[in-house]
Amino acid sequence: HVQLVESGGGSVQAGGSLNVSCSVTGFPYSSTHCLGWFRQAPGKKREGVGQIWIGDGRAYYAGFVEGRFTISQDNAKRSVTVNLQMNNLKPEDTAMYYCAADFFPASCSMREGAVDYWGQGTQVTVS
């Protein structure tokens, strides 16, 4: 069965960097998947951060990222790890970050309703 297991996150001062990773296993083998990250701050709706099309590694980002975040992937025989490197973090980046998998989409949409599987979430706190 499909599993998304996140790691990383934590606390950092404004201007600092953090990395979160997500290991995705048990998914149907194909290059036509979007894997990526959403986040949800207290009292706010969950929003897309960025996704990567695992077929060609092309990444898509939300406007607020402004070049500060980078999504990358590491492919293994039976798993894919999606990394989110976050630089120049701001207090408004504080949120629970969720790994998300969208299998067989027409394109990466960063729509919450398109996500097929979610990770458990990892907290990022910027002070």
Side-chain angles (χ1 to χ4, degrees), residues 44 66-67 70-71 102 117 126:
K44 295 188 176 181
E66 298 174 325
T70 302
I71 293 178
D102 181 2
Y117 292 91
V126 185

Side-chain angles (χ1 to χ4, degrees), residues 1-68:
H1 64 284
V2 178
Q3 285 190 304
L4 282 66
V5 180
E6 295 135 338
S7 60
S11 298
V12 69
Q13 291 188 336
S17 299
L18 283 174
N19 183 278
V20 292
S21 295
C22 175
S23 175
V24 183
T25 58
F27 59 96
Y29 179 77
S30 173
S31 62
T32 56
H33 300 319
C34 281
L35 304 177
W37 296 89
F38 285 68
R39 71 183 188 183
Q40 188 169 21
K44 295 188 176 181
K45 293 182 178 180
R46 188 151 50 183
E47 61 182 353
V49 177
Q51 289 180 309
I52 189 166
W53 183 264
I54 68 170
D56 61 9
R58 186 171 299 183
Y60 305 86
Y61 300 96
F64 62 79
V65 168
E66 298 174 325
R68 300 179 297 127

Side-chain angles (χ1 to χ4, degrees), residues 48-127:
V49 177
Q51 289 180 309
I52 189 166
W53 183 264
I54 68 170
D56 61 9
R58 186 171 299 183
Y60 305 86
Y61 300 96
F64 62 79
V65 168
E66 298 174 325
R68 300 179 297 127
F69 299 175
T70 302
I71 293 178
S72 62
Q73 65 183 68
D74 295 310
N75 297 334
K77 187 175 182 180
R78 297 182 180 182
S79 67
V80 175
T81 298
V82 183
N83 306 298
L84 177 65
Q85 175 65 38
M86 299 179 286
N87 299 322
N88 192 21
L89 283 160
K90 305 175 182 180
E92 51 264 44
D93 294 317
T94 295
M96 187 71 78
Y97 282 70
Y98 295 92
C99 183
D102 181 2
F103 295 139
F104 303 111
S107 61
C108 291
S109 66
M110 279 199 287
R111 290 189 302 109
E112 185 177 359
V115 174
D116 296 303
Y117 292 91
W118 295 95
Q120 78 280 6
T122 185
Q123 180 67 37
V124 170
T125 302
V126 185
S127 60

